[in-house]
Amino acid sequence: MAAAAGFGLKGVAGTVARPASGMSGDRASASALQLGIAGYTFAKIPLDQGIAMMKRVGVNALSIKDFYLPMNSTPETIQSVKEKFTSAGIKIYAAGVIYMKTQAEVDRAFEYTKALGVDLIVGVPNPELLTYTEGKVKEYNIRVAIHNHGPEDKLYPSPVNVYDHIKGLDNRMGLCLDIGHAARAGANPVEIIGKYGNRIFDLHIKDLSEIAVKSRPIELGRGVLDIPGVIKALAKNRYAGYCSIEHEMDMTDPLPGIAESAGYFRGVVKGESY
């Protein structure tokens, strides 16, 4: 872990954006960080097998994707799927990533999320729909965390682009910070957490083989991203959302990578909590 701390983006630090009562010191607050799974991790894994994998690695929170629960699901189907996770001790904490290219798709996303009983959409509404989406946020009291998808994304390549679009909107319009895609787009995840921390509602965590546009995602701790720095910045900022592993390699057999990433994350958090 000490060796891992030597890698990555240098010379930056987070700033306190949201002080929290009852938590003193950066190290003490690191232990409050919550680990989850971003649903895309299981794109090639059947639902029951995905649940079994989460139980094996002891991660009990999921941002659910529509391949496990289609957007046109009936209330009965939504309840049935939700009960499968609940009975396994897993909380569905968000819906997404959900793409929204029309007002009808925005409406559907909010109805779906309401029926699911969660208060967070990890989504990609087209920029021209942001004012309309803001109206739905106010109507439903459901937050929207816009996901940055890297240099190939024409809408929101970087978290900077996301923030520039939502900075004047309702505070329940925020970011899902994907640290890998952010770094590929030239943004420093540690700096981003310091600048935009109170508008970051969700985090997709992964590592990169190198800081480059075409860099491939790999297990946490094996790459060049400053994961300890990210964790310190989150702790300093009193981040209250989930840190969700998005494992995008070996997707027909993701369990070893998920387990390694979860173990590395927990090890760094434990080290920061002493």
Side-chain angles (χ1 to χ4, degrees):
M1 186 169 66
F7 288 96
L9 303 166
K10 307 292 186 181
V12 294
T15 58
V16 176
R18 284 187 300 172
S21 61
M23 301 175 72
S24 60
D26 298 348
R27 291 182 177 273
S29 60
S31 62
L33 295 176
Q34 305 173 93
L35 193 58
I37 298 286
Y40 184 68
T41 298
F42 295 133
K44 297 184 179 180
I45 302 299
L47 187 150
D48 289 342
Q49 189 177 347
I51 289 175
M53 288 182 180
M54 292 186 70
K55 292 181 70 174
R56 285 193 66 183
V57 298
V59 178
N60 60 6
L62 176 73
S63 176
I64 195 166
K65 279 286 288 178
D66 56 0
F67 51 77
Y68 277 175
L69 188 60
M71 296 288 294
N72 61 355
S73 296
T74 65
E76 292 77 18
T77 299
I78 291 174
Q79 188 60 31
S80 175
V81 171
K82 188 175 178 180
E83 285 177 358
K84 273 198 169 190
F85 284 97
T86 301
S87 65
I90 296 169
K91 174 183 178 181
I92 298 174
Y93 76 88
V97 175
I98 299 174
Y99 294 86
M100 294 166 265
K101 298 181 180 181
T102 65
Q103 288 188 2
E105 290 180 351
V106 174
D107 293 345
R108 183 177 68 168
F110 277 86
E111 280 298 314
Y112 172 87
T113 306
K114 178 183 177 182
L116 191 55
V118 298
D119 73 344
L120 178 63
I121 296 171
V122 178
V124 184
N126 277 19
E128 67 271 17
L129 293 170
L130 287 175
T131 300
Y132 183 80
T133 303
E134 180 188 31
K136 292 297 175 180
V137 165
K138 294 175 179 178
E139 177 184 346
Y140 286 81
N141 194 26
I142 290 175
R143 296 171 299 149
V144 172
I146 299 177
H147 189 292
N148 60 283
H149 270 114
E152 304 86 357
D153 182 4
K154 295 180 180 180
L155 300 180
Y156 308 106
S158 162
V160 177
N161 304 113
V162 176
Y163 185 77
D164 285 345
H165 276 95
I166 59 95
K167 61 186 177 183
L169 300 179
D170 190 281
N171 285 340
R172 289 165 290 185
M173 298 277 288
L175 291 80
C176 171
L177 172 61
D178 185 305
I179 64 172
H181 290 321
R184 290 195 310 109
N188 184 317
V190 177
E191 283 188 337
I192 294 299
I193 293 165
K195 288 180 179 179
Y196 309 143
N198 63 342
R199 297 292 284 272
I200 298 173
F201 303 154
D202 196 27
L203 206 76
H204 286 184
I205 55 175
K206 61 194 67 167
D207 214 332
L208 296 178
S209 57
E210 59 178 333
I211 304 296
V213 169
K214 298 296 183 181
S215 180
R216 62 187 180 91
I218 57 178
E219 299 90 344
L220 288 182
R222 289 195 182 222
V224 298
L225 293 187
D226 183 8
I227 305 301
V230 166
I231 287 171
K232 289 177 184 178
L234 292 170
K236 182 176 287 190
N237 193 62
R238 306 295 191 259
Y239 175 68
Y242 285 91
C243 303
S244 284
I245 295 167
E246 187 170 46
H247 190 68
E248 297 176 295
M249 57 181 293
D250 305 322
M251 294 190 73
T252 59
D253 183 26
L255 181 59
I258 295 170
E260 183 174 341
S261 295
Y264 178 82
F265 180 90
R266 288 167 173 148
V268 175
V269 166
K270 185 174 182 179
E272 288 301 317
S273 297
Y274 281 116

